Amino acid sequence: MSTFAKPENALKRAEELINVGQKQDALQALHDLITSKRYRAWQKTLEKIMFKYIELCVDMRKGRYAKDGLIQYRIVCQQVNVNSLEEVIKHFMQLSTEKAELARNQAQALEEALDVEDLEADKRPEDLMLSYVSGEKGKDRSDRELVTPWFKFLWETYRTVLEILRNNSKLENLYAMTAHRAFQFCKQYKRTTEFRRLCEIIRNHLSNLNKYKDQRDRPDLTAPESLQLYLDTRFEQLKIATELELWQEAFRSVEDIHGLMCMVKKTPKASLMVVYYAKLTEIFWISGSHLYHAYAWLKLFLLQKNFNKNLSQKDLQTIASSVVLAALSVPPYDHARGASHLELENEKERNMRMSNLINFNLDPKPESREVLSRSALLLELVSKGVMSCVLPEVKDLYHLLEHEFLPMDLSLKVQPLLNKISKIGGKLASASSVPEVQLSKYGLALEKLATLRLLQQASQVYQTMTIESLSQMIPFFDFSVVEKISVDAVKHKFLTMKVDHMKGAVSFSILDLESDTLRNHLTALAASLNKARSMIYPPLNKASKIRDTLPGLAEVVEKEHKKLLARKAIIEQRKEEQERQLLEKEREEELKRLKLQKNTEEAEQKRLAIEFEKRKIQRIQNEIEEREREEAKALLMEKFSKNKKKPIIEGDKLTKQALMELALNEQLREKQEMEKKLQKLSKQMDYLERAKREEAAPLIEAAYQQRLVEEQLLHEREQQLEVELSRQRHESDLQQKNRLARVMENKRIFEERVMSSRHSEFERMRQEREEHIRQVRQARSQERLAKRKMIFYLKSEEERLNRLREEEEARKREEAERRRKEEAERQAKLDEIAEKQRQREQELEEKERLRRQQILVGEPAVRSSETPTPAKPQVEAVPVAPAAAAASAAPAAGKYVPRHLRGKVPSSGQAPPPVRRGAGGGW
């Protein structure tokens, strides 16, 4: 690592290295200075160094060096002068963009320069060979060699800058500007993959920002300026995603915007919300969510009507017509009806997400939840005054499809209106944020709706119709398309119809117990009978009569209601338990069935494999036998086809081996006959050849003599011609020599000049080579010297550490040995004390035993007062007194003796002599 006393020295050194063409060394010198801990105080020179460092990184496409340098420079100037970091980053992005544009222009110029008539005139042989071998076009190769590396570097630049600025509250504007430029880069060059990665990067930055809220310089999203910057970035992301037709990424961008709005709990400006709902209309239309598409159009209409003061009446009518047509495009039946539980759960989650995006809050309680439905949407359109702003054609279409009952004339009245509506549309002049409105895109959905309404109304009038009549009533589609539409409607319980192609009829009178007309027929009958009874027998003073007869009706109803609820809960639990048991049983049966089926399939596969192998072996054997039989027949026909008499062989015994033996015998016989014929023919040919040679000998000799004479004449003529040609050639050479003799001096001068220039060039190249070799040797010697010093330093350091480690281990061993010896000595002393204590206890036990023996034999006990005192310390004599006192004689019979005098003996008794304990002299 290079060290400099001042940063200016590093800058001068880098410029010197750049001037001699050593840019890598200059970059390394500046990198060492920037990453050094000596220069952590910001100064103006560091900014100049960073500019030069960034220029070198861009020239050499060193993205990692640039990232390391910018991170270190951020540490230096984060708290002192953050504007300097902003200037450096802007310079970095500007240089990268200019280099990428320059490379693209060069590739384009190269492509234009290659468009010439004669390709061989400007190309070298190696270029032609490369083009023939590679087979690439010039533009592809130039893009790969010139444009692609710089575009990769520019993309890496954007990622680096975003990573450095992701949690810096002081450079939020620069972060937003970088994100916008990266979006424009993806849009300009159609980089869809990079756009997805960029969106994911920005999304992760925001999630990390919310996750780690204790960072020092993190942006505050509650501030209006920061929130506006983040929203602008997300809206730009949404626009680019829709322009690139990345609809999934656009939906995720909308969710990001909604999450950001929910996070700060603040609604953005109306201009941004117009863009938000305008993009939502496109996304929902592409995804096929017509209901949410219509709600998004409604939100957009309300925003334009309330906040756009420049909105013209024509544009307002167009937007309102789009809202109504979008609502009419929603299918008139519920897709969730008849769906499975899993589909309903997925649809519920999907609806919840899309409802949140259009700010339509759904209550999770089913009894109080406002349902997003087509009917509710149409009622909302009427209540919010949308129908008063629409075009007359759209209003007429709405009334025809929703309120009129015209089973025969519906299509005739709807079709002209659809034709007029399909011609309306275009760019709105007074609502620039709204996308181009084309009402023709709703034509297919409206035709389907008209078909469904016609079928619904026809089912209420007719029970049976012919297919031909129904096709004439619906001019929008062929009957096959009508049949598909009706199948979907029947599936979702919107229609009840049946198509009989054999009879060519359509029946609408198919009702089952699940239909709406028969589902509540008992309830309707009971209500009608109850109403008729009340009309025939009207009740008198109903409230008072009930109050008099049933005073505890409320309590009874409440109890019955609670019982019913409890019974319902028990039934639900039992049903759930039964369903769970059924599911478990079905699952076990399914597992058993699958296992049995698997075992059966495996056994069947094994059996089939064995049979296949057997059949294969049998087939191979049959083929071999058949082939041998065919070969035998062919051999028989070949060998005996010319003979009139063929060998007699039975068909069953016709084998190749038998035929081979017959063929060998026949060949042997034919060979013998041929040898006899050849001997006879050779003898005949010898006689004939000898006669021919005897007759031809004189004729050959005469022809030879005539050929000698002719060749002698030819030789003489050719020799004379050669002499004449040689003479003429010599004369012309002499003339050429005389003509060129006058330029010999110039030739010698030119030769000397060329030789001298080549010699000087050789000497120059030799000196340069020697100088280069000298520099390389010097550099290698310095490198070896530095390496040796480093190895010596490392080796000495390792030896010092090993020596310290050995000394520490020796000290630890000595300490452990000392502790072990002390522990052994202490244990020995404790053992000695324990041994003395044990001997003392034995002595006392022995005395007690002797005293008891004396008491048993009737000898008088010695009083403790008369016991001689041993010449030992008082500590050892303490246990003897209690023992002597305990050895006193028993009192006389029948006389009470106090407890403290029971151990005393008469004074006349004498104690036994003391007993020596051992050789030590202790008592």
Coordinates of all heavy atoms in Angstrom, one line a residue, residues 503-574:
K503 N -82.6 -32.8 -31.9 CA -83.9 -32.3 -32.3 C -83.8 -30.8 -32.8 O -84.8 -30.3 -33.3 CB -84.8 -32.3 -31.0 CG -85.1 -33.7 -30.6 CD -86.0 -33.7 -29.4 CE -86.3 -35.1 -28.9 NZ -87.2 -35.1 -27.7
G504 N -82.6 -30.2 -32.6 CA -82.5 -28.8 -33.0 C -83.3 -27.9 -32.2 O -83.8 -26.9 -32.7
A505 N -83.3 -28.1 -30.8 CA -84.2 -27.3 -30.0 C -83.5 -26.9 -28.7 O -82.5 -27.6 -28.3 CB -85.5 -28.1 -29.6
V506 N -84.0 -25.8 -28.1 CA -83.4 -25.3 -26.9 C -84.6 -25.3 -25.9 O -85.6 -24.7 -26.2 CB -82.8 -23.9 -27.0 CG1 -82.3 -23.4 -25.7 CG2 -81.7 -23.9 -28.0
S507 N -84.4 -25.9 -24.7 CA -85.4 -26.0 -23.7 C -85.0 -25.2 -22.5 O -83.9 -25.2 -22.0 CB -85.6 -27.5 -23.2 OG -86.6 -27.5 -22.2
F508 N -86.0 -24.3 -22.0 CA -85.8 -23.5 -20.9 C -86.5 -23.9 -19.6 O -86.5 -23.2 -18.6 CB -86.2 -22.0 -21.2 CG -85.4 -21.4 -22.3 CD1 -86.0 -21.3 -23.5 CD2 -84.1 -20.9 -22.0 CE1 -85.2 -20.7 -24.6 CE2 -83.4 -20.3 -23.1 CZ -84.0 -20.2 -24.3
S509 N -87.2 -25.0 -19.7 CA -88.1 -25.4 -18.6 C -87.5 -26.5 -17.7 O -88.2 -27.3 -17.1 CB -89.4 -25.9 -19.1 OG -89.2 -27.0 -20.0
I510 N -86.3 -26.5 -17.5 CA -85.6 -27.5 -16.7 C -85.4 -26.9 -15.3 O -84.6 -26.0 -15.1 CB -84.3 -27.9 -17.3 CG1 -84.5 -28.5 -18.7 CG2 -83.6 -29.0 -16.4 CD1 -83.2 -28.8 -19.4
L511 N -86.2 -27.3 -14.3 CA -86.1 -26.8 -13.0 C -85.7 -28.0 -12.0 O -86.3 -29.1 -12.2 CB -87.4 -26.2 -12.5 CG -87.8 -25.0 -13.4 CD1 -89.2 -24.5 -12.9 CD2 -86.8 -23.9 -13.3
D512 N -84.9 -27.7 -11.1 CA -84.6 -28.7 -10.1 C -84.8 -28.1 -8.7 O -85.1 -26.9 -8.6 CB -83.1 -29.2 -10.2 CG -82.1 -28.1 -10.3 OD1 -82.6 -26.9 -10.1 OD2 -81.0 -28.4 -10.5
L513 N -84.5 -28.9 -7.7 CA -84.8 -28.4 -6.3 C -83.8 -27.3 -5.9 O -84.0 -26.7 -4.9 CB -84.7 -29.6 -5.4 CG -85.8 -30.6 -5.5 CD1 -85.6 -31.8 -4.5 CD2 -87.2 -30.0 -5.3
E514 N -82.7 -27.2 -6.7 CA -81.7 -26.2 -6.3 C -82.0 -24.8 -7.0 O -81.3 -23.9 -6.8 CB -80.3 -26.7 -6.8 CG -79.8 -27.9 -6.0 CD -79.6 -27.6 -4.5 OE1 -79.3 -26.4 -4.2 OE2 -79.8 -28.5 -3.7
S515 N -83.0 -24.8 -7.9 CA -83.3 -23.5 -8.5 C -83.9 -22.5 -7.6 O -84.5 -22.9 -6.5 CB -84.2 -23.8 -9.7 OG -85.4 -24.3 -9.3
D516 N -83.9 -21.2 -7.9 CA -84.4 -20.2 -7.1 C -85.9 -20.3 -6.9 O -86.5 -19.8 -5.9 CB -84.0 -18.8 -7.6 CG -82.5 -18.6 -7.5 OD1 -81.9 -19.3 -6.6 OD2 -82.0 -17.9 -8.3
T517 N -86.6 -20.8 -8.0 CA -88.1 -20.8 -8.0 C -88.6 -21.9 -7.0 O -89.8 -21.7 -6.5 CB -88.6 -21.0 -9.4 OG1 -88.1 -22.2 -9.9 CG2 -88.2 -19.9 -10.3
L518 N -87.9 -23.0 -6.8 CA -88.4 -24.0 -5.9 C -87.7 -24.1 -4.6 O -88.0 -25.0 -3.8 CB -88.2 -25.4 -6.7 CG -89.0 -25.6 -8.0 CD1 -88.7 -26.9 -8.5 CD2 -90.5 -25.4 -7.7
R519 N -86.7 -23.3 -4.4 CA -85.9 -23.4 -3.2 C -86.8 -23.0 -1.9 O -86.7 -23.6 -0.9 CB -84.7 -22.5 -3.3 CG -83.8 -22.6 -2.1 CD -82.5 -21.8 -2.2 NE -81.8 -22.2 -3.4 CZ -80.8 -21.5 -4.0 NH1 -80.5 -20.3 -3.4 NH2 -80.2 -21.9 -5.0
N520 N -87.6 -21.9 -2.0 CA -88.3 -21.4 -0.9 C -89.8 -21.5 -1.1 O -90.6 -20.7 -0.7 CB -88.0 -19.9 -0.7 CG -86.5 -19.8 -0.4 OD1 -85.9 -20.6 0.3 ND2 -85.9 -18.7 -0.9
H521 N -90.3 -22.6 -1.8 CA -91.7 -22.7 -2.1 C -92.5 -23.0 -0.9 O -93.7 -22.5 -0.7 CB -91.9 -23.7 -3.2 CG -91.5 -25.1 -2.8 ND1 -90.2 -25.5 -2.6 CD2 -92.3 -26.2 -2.4 CE1 -90.2 -26.8 -2.2 NE2 -91.4 -27.2 -2.1
L522 N -92.0 -23.8 0.0 CA -92.8 -24.1 1.3 C -92.9 -22.8 2.1 O -94.0 -22.6 2.7 CB -92.1 -25.2 2.0 CG -92.1 -26.6 1.4 CD1 -91.4 -27.6 2.2 CD2 -93.6 -27.1 1.2
T523 N -91.8 -22.1 2.2 CA -91.9 -20.8 3.0 C -92.9 -19.8 2.4 O -93.7 -19.2 3.1 CB -90.5 -20.2 3.1 OG1 -89.6 -21.1 3.6 CG2 -90.5 -19.0 4.0
A524 N -92.9 -19.7 1.1 CA -93.8 -18.8 0.4 C -95.3 -19.3 0.6 O -96.2 -18.5 0.8 CB -93.5 -18.7 -1.1
L525 N -95.5 -20.6 0.5 CA -96.8 -21.2 0.7 C -97.3 -20.9 2.2 O -98.5 -20.5 2.4 CB -96.8 -22.7 0.5 CG -98.2 -23.4 0.7 CD1 -99.2 -22.9 -0.3 CD2 -98.0 -24.9 0.5
A526 N -96.4 -21.1 3.1 CA -96.8 -20.9 4.5 C -97.2 -19.4 4.7 O -98.1 -19.0 5.4 CB -95.7 -21.3 5.5
A527 N -96.4 -18.5 4.1 CA -96.6 -17.1 4.3 C -98.0 -16.7 3.6 O -98.8 -15.9 4.2 CB -95.5 -16.3 3.7
S528 N -98.2 -17.3 2.5 CA -99.5 -17.0 1.8 C -100.7 -17.5 2.6 O -101.7 -16.8 2.8 CB -99.5 -17.6 0.4 OG -98.5 -17.1 -0.4
L529 N -100.6 -18.7 3.1 CA -101.7 -19.3 4.0 C -101.9 -18.5 5.2 O -103.0 -18.2 5.7 CB -101.4 -20.7 4.3 CG -101.4 -21.7 3.1 CD1 -101.0 -23.1 3.6 CD2 -102.8 -21.8 2.5
N530 N -100.8 -18.0 5.8 CA -100.9 -17.2 7.1 C -101.6 -15.9 6.8 O -102.5 -15.4 7.5 CB -99.6 -17.0 7.6 CG -99.6 -16.4 9.0 OD1 -100.7 -16.5 9.7 ND2 -98.5 -15.9 9.5
K531 N -101.3 -15.3 5.6 CA -101.9 -14.1 5.2 C -103.4 -14.2 5.0 O -104.3 -13.4 5.4 CB -101.2 -13.5 4.0 CG -101.7 -12.1 3.5 CD -100.9 -11.7 2.4 CE -101.4 -10.3 1.9 NZ -100.6 -9.8 0.7
A532 N -103.8 -15.4 4.2 CA -105.2 -15.6 4.0 C -106.0 -15.9 5.3 O -107.1 -15.4 5.5 CB -105.3 -16.8 3.1
R533 N -105.4 -16.6 6.2 CA -106.0 -16.8 7.5 C -106.3 -15.6 8.3 O -107.3 -15.3 8.9 CB -105.1 -17.8 8.3 CG -105.7 -18.1 9.7 CD -104.8 -19.0 10.5 NE -105.2 -19.2 11.8 CZ -104.9 -18.4 12.8 NH1 -104.2 -17.3 12.6 NH2 -105.4 -18.7 14.1
S534 N -105.2 -14.7 8.3 CA -105.4 -13.4 9.0 C -106.5 -12.5 8.3 O -107.2 -11.8 9.0 CB -104.1 -12.6 9.0 OG -103.7 -12.3 7.7
M535 N -106.7 -12.7 7.0 CA -107.7 -11.9 6.3 C -109.1 -12.5 6.6 O -110.1 -11.8 6.8 CB -107.5 -11.9 4.8 CG -106.3 -11.1 4.4 SD -105.9 -11.3 2.6 CE -107.4 -10.4 2.0
I536 N -109.2 -13.8 6.8 CA -110.5 -14.4 7.1 C -110.8 -14.2 8.5 O -112.0 -13.9 8.9 CB -110.5 -15.9 6.7 CG1 -110.3 -16.1 5.2 CG2 -111.7 -16.6 7.2 CD1 -110.0 -17.5 4.8
Y537 N -109.9 -14.5 9.4 CA -110.1 -14.3 10.9 C -109.2 -13.3 11.4 O -108.1 -13.6 11.9 CB -109.9 -15.7 11.6 CG -110.8 -16.8 11.1 CD1 -110.2 -17.8 10.3 CD2 -112.1 -16.9 11.4 CE1 -111.0 -18.8 9.8 CE2 -112.9 -17.9 10.9 CZ -112.3 -18.9 10.1 OH -113.1 -19.9 9.7
P538 N -109.6 -12.0 11.3 CA -108.7 -11.0 11.8 C -108.6 -11.0 13.3 O -109.6 -11.2 14.0 CB -109.4 -9.7 11.4 CG -110.8 -10.1 11.2 CD -110.8 -11.5 10.7
P539 N -107.4 -10.9 13.9 CA -107.2 -11.0 15.4 C -107.7 -9.7 16.0 O -107.7 -8.6 15.5 CB -105.7 -11.2 15.5 CG -105.1 -10.5 14.3 CD -106.1 -10.8 13.2
L540 N -108.3 -9.9 17.3 CA -108.8 -8.8 18.0 C -108.0 -8.6 19.3 O -107.8 -9.6 20.1 CB -110.3 -9.0 18.4 CG -111.3 -9.1 17.3 CD1 -112.6 -9.5 17.8 CD2 -111.3 -7.8 16.5
N541 N -107.5 -7.4 19.5 CA -106.7 -7.1 20.7 C -105.5 -8.1 20.9 O -105.4 -8.8 21.9 CB -107.5 -7.0 22.0 CG -108.6 -6.0 21.9 OD1 -108.4 -4.9 21.3 ND2 -109.7 -6.2 22.5
K542 N -104.8 -8.2 19.8 CA -103.8 -9.2 19.7 C -102.7 -9.0 20.8 O -102.3 -10.0 21.5 CB -103.2 -9.2 18.3 CG -102.1 -10.3 18.1 CD -101.6 -10.3 16.7 CE -100.6 -11.4 16.4 NZ -100.1 -11.4 15.0
A543 N -102.3 -7.8 20.9 CA -101.2 -7.6 21.9 C -101.6 -7.9 23.3 O -100.9 -8.5 24.1 CB -100.7 -6.1 21.7
S544 N -102.8 -7.4 23.7 CA -103.3 -7.6 25.1 C -103.6 -9.1 25.4 O -103.3 -9.6 26.4 CB -104.5 -6.8 25.4 OG -105.6 -7.2 24.5
K545 N -104.1 -9.8 24.3 CA -104.5 -11.2 24.5 C -103.2 -12.0 24.7 O -103.1 -12.9 25.6 CB -105.2 -11.7 23.3 CG -105.7 -13.1 23.5 CD -106.6 -13.5 22.3 CE -107.2 -14.9 22.5 NZ -108.0 -15.3 21.3
I546 N -102.2 -11.7 23.9 CA -101.0 -12.4 24.1 C -100.3 -12.1 25.4 O -99.7 -13.0 26.1 CB -100.0 -12.1 22.9 CG1 -100.6 -12.7 21.6 CG2 -98.6 -12.6 23.1 CD1 -99.8 -12.3 20.4
R547 N -100.5 -10.8 25.8 CA -99.9 -10.4 27.1 C -100.5 -11.1 28.3 O -99.9 -11.5 29.2 CB -100.0 -8.9 27.2 CG -99.1 -8.3 28.4 CD -99.3 -6.9 28.6 NE -99.0 -6.1 27.4 CZ -100.0 -5.5 26.7 NH1 -101.2 -5.5 27.1 NH2 -99.6 -4.8 25.6
D548 N -101.9 -11.3 28.1 CA -102.6 -12.0 29.2 C -102.3 -13.5 29.2 O -102.2 -14.1 30.3 CB -104.1 -11.7 29.1 CG -104.4 -10.2 29.2 OD1 -103.6 -9.5 29.9 OD2 -105.5 -9.8 28.7
T549 N -102.3 -14.1 28.1 CA -102.2 -15.5 28.0 C -100.8 -16.0 28.2 O -100.5 -17.1 28.8 CB -102.7 -16.1 26.7 OG1 -102.1 -15.4 25.6 CG2 -104.2 -15.8 26.6
L550 N -99.9 -15.2 27.7 CA -98.4 -15.6 27.8 C -97.6 -14.5 28.5 O -97.0 -13.7 27.8 CB -97.9 -15.8 26.4 CG -98.6 -17.0 25.6 CD1 -98.0 -17.0 24.2 CD2 -98.4 -18.3 26.3
P551 N -97.7 -14.5 29.8 CA -96.9 -13.4 30.5 C -95.4 -13.6 30.4 O -94.7 -12.7 30.4 CB -97.4 -13.5 31.9 CG -97.9 -14.9 32.0 CD -98.4 -15.4 30.7
G552 N -95.0 -14.9 30.4 CA -93.5 -15.2 30.3 C -93.0 -15.5 29.0 O -92.1 -16.4 28.8
L553 N -93.7 -14.9 27.9 CA -93.3 -15.2 26.6 C -91.8 -14.8 26.3 O -91.1 -15.6 25.6 CB -94.2 -14.5 25.6 CG -94.0 -14.8 24.1 CD1 -94.1 -16.3 23.8 CD2 -94.9 -14.0 23.2
A554 N -91.4 -13.7 26.8 CA -90.0 -13.2 26.5 C -89.0 -14.2 27.1 O -88.0 -14.5 26.4 CB -89.9 -11.8 27.0
E555 N -89.3 -14.6 28.3 CA -88.3 -15.5 28.9 C -88.3 -16.8 28.2 O -87.2 -17.4 28.0 CB -88.7 -15.8 30.4 CG -88.4 -14.5 31.3 CD -89.6 -13.5 31.2 OE1 -90.5 -13.8 30.5 OE2 -89.5 -12.5 31.9
V556 N -89.5 -17.3 27.8 CA -89.5 -18.6 27.1 C -88.8 -18.5 25.8 O -88.1 -19.4 25.4 CB -91.0 -19.0 26.9 CG1 -91.1 -20.2 26.0 CG2 -91.7 -19.3 28.3
V557 N -89.1 -17.4 25.1 CA -88.4 -17.2 23.8 C -86.9 -17.1 23.9 O -86.1 -17.7 23.1 CB -89.0 -15.9 23.1 CG1 -88.2 -15.6 21.8 CG2 -90.4 -16.1 22.7
E558 N -86.5 -16.4 25.0 CA -85.1 -16.3 25.2 C -84.4 -17.7 25.5 O -83.4 -18.0 25.0 CB -84.8 -15.3 26.4 CG -83.3 -15.1 26.6 CD -82.7 -14.3 25.5 OE1 -83.4 -13.6 24.7 OE2 -81.5 -14.4 25.4
K559 N -85.1 -18.5 26.4 CA -84.6 -19.8 26.7 C -84.6 -20.7 25.5 O -83.6 -21.4 25.2 CB -85.5 -20.4 27.8 CG -85.3 -19.8 29.2 CD -86.2 -20.4 30.2 CE -86.1 -19.8 31.5 NZ -87.0 -20.4 32.6
E560 N -85.7 -20.6 24.7 CA -85.7 -21.5 23.5 C -84.6 -21.0 22.5 O -84.0 -21.9 21.8 CB -87.1 -21.3 22.8 CG -88.2 -22.0 23.6 CD -88.0 -23.5 23.7 OE1 -87.5 -24.1 22.8 OE2 -88.4 -24.1 24.7
H561 N -84.4 -19.7 22.4 CA -83.4 -19.2 21.5 C -82.0 -19.7 22.0 O -81.2 -20.2 21.1 CB -83.4 -17.7 21.5 CG -82.4 -17.1 20.6 ND1 -82.4 -17.3 19.2 CD2 -81.3 -16.3 20.9 CE1 -81.4 -16.7 18.7 NE2 -80.7 -16.1 19.7
K562 N -81.7 -19.7 23.3 CA -80.5 -20.2 23.8 C -80.3 -21.7 23.5 O -79.2 -22.1 23.2 CB -80.3 -19.8 25.3 CG -80.1 -18.4 25.5 CD -80.0 -18.1 27.0 CE -79.8 -16.6 27.3 NZ -79.7 -16.4 28.8
K563 N -81.4 -22.4 23.8 CA -81.4 -23.8 23.5 C -81.1 -24.1 22.1 O -80.3 -25.0 21.7 CB -82.7 -24.5 23.9 CG -82.9 -24.6 25.4 CD -84.2 -25.2 25.7 CE -84.5 -25.3 27.3 NZ -85.8 -26.0 27.6
L564 N -81.8 -23.4 21.2 CA -81.5 -23.6 19.8 C -80.1 -23.3 19.4 O -79.5 -24.0 18.6 CB -82.5 -22.7 19.0 CG -84.0 -23.2 19.0 CD1 -84.8 -22.2 18.2 CD2 -84.1 -24.5 18.3
L565 N -79.6 -22.2 20.0 CA -78.2 -21.8 19.7 C -77.2 -22.9 20.2 O -76.3 -23.3 19.5 CB -77.8 -20.5 20.3 CG -78.5 -19.2 19.7 CD1 -78.1 -18.0 20.5 CD2 -78.1 -19.1 18.2
A566 N -77.5 -23.4 21.4 CA -76.6 -24.5 21.9 C -76.7 -25.7 21.1 O -75.7 -26.4 20.8 CB -77.0 -24.7 23.4
R567 N -78.0 -26.0 20.7 CA -78.2 -27.2 19.9 C -77.5 -27.0 18.5 O -76.9 -28.0 18.0 CB -79.7 -27.5 19.7 CG -80.0 -28.7 18.9 CD -81.5 -29.0 19.0 NE -81.9 -30.2 18.2 CZ -82.2 -30.2 16.9 NH1 -82.3 -29.0 16.3 NH2 -82.5 -31.3 16.3
K568 N -77.6 -25.8 18.0 CA -76.9 -25.6 16.7 C -75.4 -25.7 16.8 O -74.8 -26.3 15.9 CB -77.3 -24.1 16.3 CG -76.7 -23.8 14.9 CD -77.1 -22.4 14.5 CE -76.5 -22.0 13.2 NZ -76.8 -20.6 12.8
A569 N -74.9 -25.2 17.9 CA -73.4 -25.3 18.1 C -73.0 -26.8 18.3 O -72.0 -27.2 17.7 CB -73.0 -24.5 19.4
I570 N -73.8 -27.6 19.0 CA -73.5 -29.0 19.2 C -73.6 -29.7 17.8 O -72.8 -30.5 17.4 CB -74.5 -29.6 20.2 CG1 -74.2 -29.1 21.6 CG2 -74.3 -31.1 20.2 CD1 -75.2 -29.5 22.6
I571 N -74.7 -29.4 17.1 CA -74.8 -30.0 15.7 C -73.6 -29.6 14.8 O -73.1 -30.5 14.1 CB -76.1 -29.6 15.1 CG1 -77.3 -30.2 15.9 CG2 -76.2 -30.0 13.6 CD1 -78.7 -29.7 15.4
E572 N -73.2 -28.3 14.9 CA -72.1 -27.9 14.1 C -70.8 -28.7 14.5 O -70.0 -29.1 13.6 CB -71.9 -26.4 14.2 CG -73.0 -25.6 13.6 CD -73.0 -25.7 12.1 OE1 -71.9 -26.0 11.5 OE2 -74.0 -25.5 11.5
Q573 N -70.6 -28.8 15.8 CA -69.5 -29.5 16.3 C -69.5 -31.0 15.8 O -68.5 -31.5 15.4 CB -69.4 -29.5 17.8 CG -69.0 -28.1 18.3 CD -69.0 -28.0 19.8 OE1 -69.2 -29.1 20.5 NE2 -68.7 -26.9 20.4
R574 N -70.7 -31.6 16.0 CA -70.8 -33.0 15.5 C -70.6 -33.1 14.0 O -69.9 -34.1 13.6 CB -72.2 -33.5 15.9 CG -72.3 -33.7 17.4 CD -73.7 -34.2 17.7 NE -73.9 -34.4 19.2 CZ -75.1 -34.8 19.8 NH1 -76.1 -35.0 19.0 NH2 -75.1 -35.0 21.1

